[in-house]
Amino acid sequence: MRDSMGIGVAVGAAGLAFGTAAVAAGLSPAQSVFMSLFMFTGASQFALVGVIAGGGSLVAGSAGALLLGARNTLYGLRLADVLGWRGARRALAAHGVIDETTASTLIQPDRESARTAFVATYAVLGTFWVATTLAGSLATERVSDMDAFGLDAVGPAIFLGLLWPRLREGGGRTWLIAALGAGLALATTPLLPSGVPVLLAASAALVALLGPDAEDGAPPASPSREPSGAASGSGTDSGEVRP
């Protein structure tokens, strides 16, 4: 709960930047709040208003936003198993599948903690994101340069903080995947449209298909070694040994 509230408040503050950017691009405060309430995926929202502000069409902006938000589909596939919700609860939870809710959920040790982390992060971040979007859109005429506050750096900083425990506890393959993903993102961001570098960086996870990492776990037991109790035939009456 403490971590989820911290993430929600810190990242939610970035809604100020979105509200001002949206109004500067030509949207009304009501339209800005509508986007934050129903899209609820910050990077895609910034991508959409960025295209509009640059003179691009709504179709082009929407296509870029959808491409950038495609990663949430992959998050959803993983969270469906972790949270284990069905029916209306799953449909509602799907709206809250973003970077921060996914990261805070997957680091939990059990399903109950994962559900608590997801709901708390979703509720706090969603509330603050919409509220600060409204505040930013109404304050556009009073604040000349919202970028000066550095709010765009809050989200990445929080996400890296959540990622660090996995890197610290992981083996060589974990570090290799992280390095490849970061390298692909940095190398392609200046060259490709918004959203594409993120999807390309995700392809680094294919390294996991290369086989087990010797540093991530203990070596497999010898096939000839019998489990404890095998000599006395424990497990079943026929002498079979249960794994």
Side-chain angles (χ1 to χ4, degrees):
M1 288 294 295
R2 179 197 61 201
D3 294 342
S4 296
M5 291 182 67
I7 293 170
V9 173
V11 179
L16 290 168
F18 172 73
T20 58
V23 172
L27 276 67
S28 67
Q31 290 172 325
S32 304
V33 172
F34 182 89
M35 287 183 63
S36 286
L37 183 61
F38 289 96
M39 286 184 66
F40 188 53
T41 170
S44 294
Q45 293 178 224
F46 277 107
L48 177 57
V49 299
V51 171
I52 296 175
S57 67
L58 183 60
V59 173
S62 299
L66 286 172
L67 182 61
L68 187 57
R71 70 191 187 282
N72 294 339
T73 303
L74 302 178
Y75 295 161
L77 293 175
R78 181 72 181 96
L79 290 182
D81 291 333
V82 173
L83 298 174
W85 284 325
R86 297 289 184 272
R89 285 193 298 178
R90 172 178 283 193
L92 178 61
H95 180 260
V97 176
I98 57 174
D99 293 335
E100 290 76 17
T101 55
T102 300
S104 62
T105 299
L106 293 181
I107 62 176
Q108 304 305 321
D110 53 65
R111 174 167 288 180
E112 182 180 358
S113 299
R115 287 177 171 179
T116 300
F118 180 88
V119 172
T121 305
Y122 179 22
V124 177
L125 177 53
T127 300
F128 269 81
W129 182 254
V130 174
T132 54
T133 295
L134 176 60
S137 63
L138 295 177
T140 301
E141 296 181 356
R142 298 175 178 270
V143 181
S144 59
D145 184 14
M146 185 62 70
D147 291 341
F149 291 96
L151 295 175
D152 56 327
V154 174
I158 291 290
F159 198 72
L160 287 175
L162 292 168
L163 178 64
W164 178 248
R166 286 180 173 267
L167 293 177
R168 185 178 57 190
E169 298 170 3
R173 186 173 56 179
T174 301
W175 280 95
L176 176 60
I177 292 173
L180 286 176
L184 285 171
L186 290 173
T188 57
T189 294
L191 306 175
L192 299 177
S194 178
V196 176
V198 175
L199 298 179
L200 287 178
S203 66
L206 295 176
V207 173
L209 301 178
L210 297 180
D213 186 355
E215 298 182 31
D216 286 342
S222 171
S224 62
R225 183 181 303 169
E226 292 182 338
S228 176
S232 60
S234 62
T236 64
D237 294 337
S238 62
E240 294 180 358
V241 179
R242 292 181 180 175

